[in-house]
Amino acid sequence: MKPKVLITRPVQQAAIDEVSAKCDVQVHAIDEPMSAELLAKALRDVDAIMPCGLRVGKDAIENAAKLRVVANIGAGYDNIDVNECTRRRILVTNTPDVLTEATADLAFALTLAAARRVVEGDRFVRRGNWPHWQWNFLWGSEMHGKTLGLYGFGRIGQAMARRGRGFSMRILYHARHRVPENIEKELGAQWVDRDELMRESDFLSLHVPLTAETHHSISRREFALMKPSAYLINTARGNIIEEEALVEALQAGRLGGAGLDVFEREPKVHPALIEMDNVVLLPHIGSATAETRLRMALLASANLLAALNGQRPPNLVNPEAFG
Ligand code: NAP
């Protein structure tokens, strides 16, 4: 009998075909998260799941007696209860690398948009009351020569550094470990401690995963350290910032602005942020290009098939559960 697989989004047919060649596939064809009840019910009978933007917690896998693989479509896997999966010897995989450039592009787009008031200007023109060219109007912040601070300096953080260098920015980064010297040299990047990163950045872009350690790691203390002219860019995960503290800092003029792709209570956005002209808001589209989404779905398929085949999948998150 073929293994049973649940794909929780209507991903590209090419990826569905890859899995269907070896497995009995059920696709949740509606492009919205499955309800907890529906997920728990569906998981009772499947060997593997390919979730995307869906919480797969302890409650969901409790009765998933046959489940062997969770092949997450996404680089971040904070939506999966990895500990519980490991305890049950369920392999968890993710899709890093293939979305690095698309996500860095979006982080840089947010940086430019916030700095040069692109969305604000667009809204102004669309309102149809542009009287004449003005000297003193929509002045933004330059990026060249400014300091780009990268909190997290893995795949996406480094891709962001490359973009910053192209704009002649000074690059500082913080991660728990320094990257090898040749990478620092190539990217012209300097490691600093966390507080210095907060103090020195003109643009602070977040590229750490969401973990217990990074949860709310940008909060009142950090905003107090940051320059009042600084911009905060977040394409990582919403919960890394304490959103209430961000709102307070912006309302008090203790921050220049923000560019946000992710939020603490997605899809809900703090109502105060919606009112602010110096904040650019996007609906979690970091990896949203046709090429990248296809690569993500195909990589998740490859991970899933390898795992079902008893091989070590290329992007195994919990090696303790393997073998
Ligand atoms: P990565 O290559 O694993 O890099 C993560 C970086 O964070 C590393 O430099 C790591 O270095 C650092 N880090 C981890 N924990 C830290 C901590 N407690 N304090 C300081 N630094 C820490 O990950 P990536 O591929 O760049 O992706 C980063 C995140 O972006 C993902 O986890 C995901 O949540 C998010 N993402 C979002 C979108 C979107 O659609 N908006 C798309 C793709 C990815 P050390 O281990 O040395 O600390």
Side-chain angles (χ1 to χ4, degrees), residues 103 153-156 175-177 208-209 213 235 237 261 284 286:
T103 309
F153 202 57
R155 289 166 282 240
I156 301 170
R176 292 166 303 181
H177 313 92
V208 290
E213 213 180 332
T235 54
R237 284 290 181 266
D261 183 44
H284 199 149

Side-chain angles (χ1 to χ4, degrees), residues 75-78 96-97 99-100 103 106 151-157 174-179 194 206-211 213-214 235-237 261-262 284-287 293:
Y77 45 85
D78 45 278
D97 296 312
L99 42 55
T100 296
T103 309
L106 194 87
Y151 180 41
F153 202 57
R155 289 166 282 240
I156 301 170
H174 178 77
R176 292 166 303 181
H177 313 92
R178 279 182 72 160
V179 300
R194 244 181 124 262
L206 310 185
H207 301 289
V208 290
L210 175 63
T211 61
E213 213 180 332
T214 61
T235 54
R237 284 290 181 266
D261 183 44
V262 287
H284 199 149
I285 54 168
S287 66
R293 287 281 162 87

Side-chain angles (χ1 to χ4, degrees), residues 16-248:
I16 297 173
D17 289 347
E18 286 279 310
V19 184
S20 298
K22 306 266 168 55
C23 307
D24 189 354
V25 176
Q26 178 197 338
V27 181
H28 180 68
I30 311 164
D31 200 0
E32 59 185 46
M34 290 174 80
S35 70
E37 297 75 39
L38 201 59
L39 175 65
K41 193 165 166 239
L43 281 184
R44 270 187 226 146
D45 193 35
V46 300
D47 301 273
I49 176 173
M50 203 193 285
C52 184
L54 180 69
R55 210 191 115 62
V56 182
K58 193 176 173 179
D59 45 334
I61 50 184
E62 219 153 43
N63 297 309
K66 288 167 62 187
L67 189 66
R68 286 188 281 148
V69 187
V70 177
N72 194 44
I73 312 181
Y77 45 85
D78 45 278
N79 55 319
I80 313 289
D81 188 336
V82 178
N83 287 338
E84 185 59 21
C85 286
T86 304
R87 208 178 65 74
R88 291 170 181 268
R89 298 184 67 76
I90 297 168
L91 302 186
V92 179
T93 62
N94 68 339
T95 61
D97 296 312
V98 292
L99 42 55
T100 296
E101 301 301 328
T103 309
D105 280 348
L106 194 87
F108 212 75
L110 275 173
T111 312
L112 273 165
R116 295 305 305 274
R117 307 176 66 175
V118 171
V119 181
E120 213 182 325
D122 177 271
R123 278 195 294 257
F124 176 79
V125 172
R126 280 172 203 277
R127 276 200 294 267
N129 54 358
W130 182 22
H132 45 75
W133 187 87
Q134 283 167 272
W135 179 263
N136 273 314
F137 186 52
L138 281 180
W139 285 6
S141 168
E142 300 212 357
M143 287 171 63
H144 85 100
K146 298 284 175 66
T147 298
L148 174 63
L150 300 166
Y151 180 41
F153 202 57
R155 289 166 282 240
I156 301 170
Q158 291 178 28
M160 189 68 175
R162 275 186 211 103
R163 284 155 179 75
R165 252 170 96 72
F167 276 62
S168 306
M169 299 179 86
R170 171 187 177 225
I171 313 290
L172 300 181
Y173 78 93
H174 178 77
R176 292 166 303 181
H177 313 92
R178 279 182 72 160
V179 300
E181 217 181 305
N182 62 316
I183 295 180
E184 284 187 354
K185 258 205 180 124
E186 182 204 326
L187 300 177
Q190 185 192 341
W191 183 92
V192 289
D193 69 32
R194 244 181 124 262
D195 284 2
E196 195 175 346
L197 189 78
M198 302 300 144
R199 273 194 289 264
E200 287 289 314
S201 299
D202 295 303
F203 298 90
L204 176 66
S205 189
L206 310 185
H207 301 289
V208 290
L210 175 63
T211 61
E213 213 180 332
T214 61
H215 181 268
H216 282 187
S217 56
I218 303 295
S219 188
R220 290 177 183 82
R221 183 179 170 281
E222 288 68 29
F223 291 125
L225 291 172
M226 286 173 73
K227 297 180 186 179
S229 56
Y231 290 83
L232 178 63
I233 309 300
N234 191 7
T235 54
R237 284 290 181 266
N239 286 327
I240 294 163
I241 300 174
E242 189 172 356
E243 219 162 75
E244 199 59 51
L246 170 64
V247 166
E248 278 171 31

